[in-house]
Amino acid sequence: MKKQLLSTFLLIAVGCSIAQATTYTVTNTNDAGTGSLRAAIIAANADAAAPHLIQIDASLTGQTISLLSSLPNITRSMTIRGASTLTPATGAGGTTVERNTSAADFRLFDFGNVSWSVEDLILSNGRLIGAAIRAGNNTSRTATVERCIIKNCYAPTNNASGSSVFINGGQATVRSCIFQQNQGFKGGVYFANASAAVENCTFLLNVGQGEGGGVSNADGTASVTNCTFYMNSTLLDDFGAGAAIFTFGTSLTTQTTIKHCTFVSN
């Protein structure tokens, strides 16, 4: 595994200290072993000098990492970045991370109480709550999903937290992504107790078994800007709500602001 040290120098009044971060490079599409995504996460978790960068090598542009079992829970702040810049509208660039169809059910990325960013990845076929990405409760974290395609993920329909991306707490940004044909109790992305921004995204054919086919916001504040919602739906006539966007909460500060969005056949 290729390991590169990156140093940042911080000048302070009493002297100079050095904060170090490490880049772990993924060099193959293997499920495990040297150079794999799994090995990079294990190494980054073991390195206390976070935040880290897990960079998929440029040679893996357009290739697929097919996982046979769940990746380790992520316990250090880090960025996970695809092999090259992904253009979600065309699918060009980036790298696919998927659950192999022969494997047992698991989610793709499970972040603990840390800050994180996922960029330039196609995430597919995850199963469980937060089928593509789940982030545990942390009010001080930042979480970013940028230039990603999240598709064909399935979360339990009998659990109110079921969605393809579930972010609980903190500052969350989802930017320039496509959510396509995901299904759960909530379909696309679900924010709970968070301050969230969804920008320049497309939500296509997602299904919320109970509510929130596209975006759900619970007990937080969210802004949805320059997004397109096409043929998202909920299934339960007696309970279903918010085929495109669903907002709910017990606080008067709970709100979702929608600007410059397009809604078609939701």
Side-chain angles (χ1 to χ4, degrees), residues 27-107:
T27 57
N28 60 60
T29 60
N30 296 344
D31 174 74
T34 301
S36 68
L37 175 61
R38 187 180 306 275
I41 290 174
I42 291 171
N45 278 344
D47 187 346
H52 303 303
L53 169 65
I54 292 180
Q55 175 67 61
I56 299 176
D57 190 77
S59 64
L60 302 183
T61 296
Q63 297 196 40
T64 298
I65 298 172
S66 189
L67 300 171
L68 298 174
S69 62
S70 60
L71 294 167
N73 291 357
I74 295 169
T75 58
R76 304 288 185 189
S77 294
M78 65 179 67
T79 295
I80 301 175
R81 183 177 296 153
S84 60
T85 300
L86 174 68
T87 304
T90 63
T95 308
T96 297
V97 178
E98 68 172 18
R99 181 190 67 88
N100 188 286
T101 55
S102 67
D105 289 354
F106 59 84
R107 67 181 57 88

Side-chain angles (χ1 to χ4, degrees), residues 88 144-148 172-179 189 191 195-203 215 222-229 257 259-261:
T144 303
V145 185
E146 187 162 15
R147 295 184 307 276
C148 289
T173 302
V174 179
R175 181 184 296 118
S176 302
C177 294
I178 292 177
F179 289 77
V189 57
F191 305 106
S195 176
V198 183
E199 303 168 355
N200 303 313
C201 292
T202 297
F203 294 83
V215 175
S223 62
V224 183
T225 308
N226 295 327
C227 293
T228 298
F229 295 83
T257 303
K259 295 181 180 180
H260 310 303
C261 292

Side-chain angles (χ1 to χ4, degrees), residues 196-240:
V198 183
E199 303 168 355
N200 303 313
C201 292
T202 297
F203 294 83
L204 172 67
L205 295 168
N206 301 286
V207 178
Q209 183 75 26
E211 57 203 23
V215 175
S216 294
N217 168 33
D219 292 305
T221 59
S223 62
V224 183
T225 308
N226 295 327
C227 293
T228 298
F229 295 83
Y230 181 71
M231 294 188 71
N232 303 283
S233 61
T234 57
L235 296 182
L236 298 183
D237 292 338
D238 59 343
F239 185 57

Side-chain angles (χ1 to χ4, degrees), residues 147-164:
R147 295 184 307 276
C148 289
I149 299 173
I150 295 94
K151 64 179 184 177
N152 301 327
C153 289
Y154 181 85
T157 57
N158 62 350
N159 188 304
S161 296
S163 58
S164 61

Side-chain angles (χ1 to χ4, degrees), residues 2 35 41 123 145 171 251 257:
K2 185 162 52 176
I41 290 174
L123 305 179
V145 185
Q171 303 284 326
S251 170
T257 303

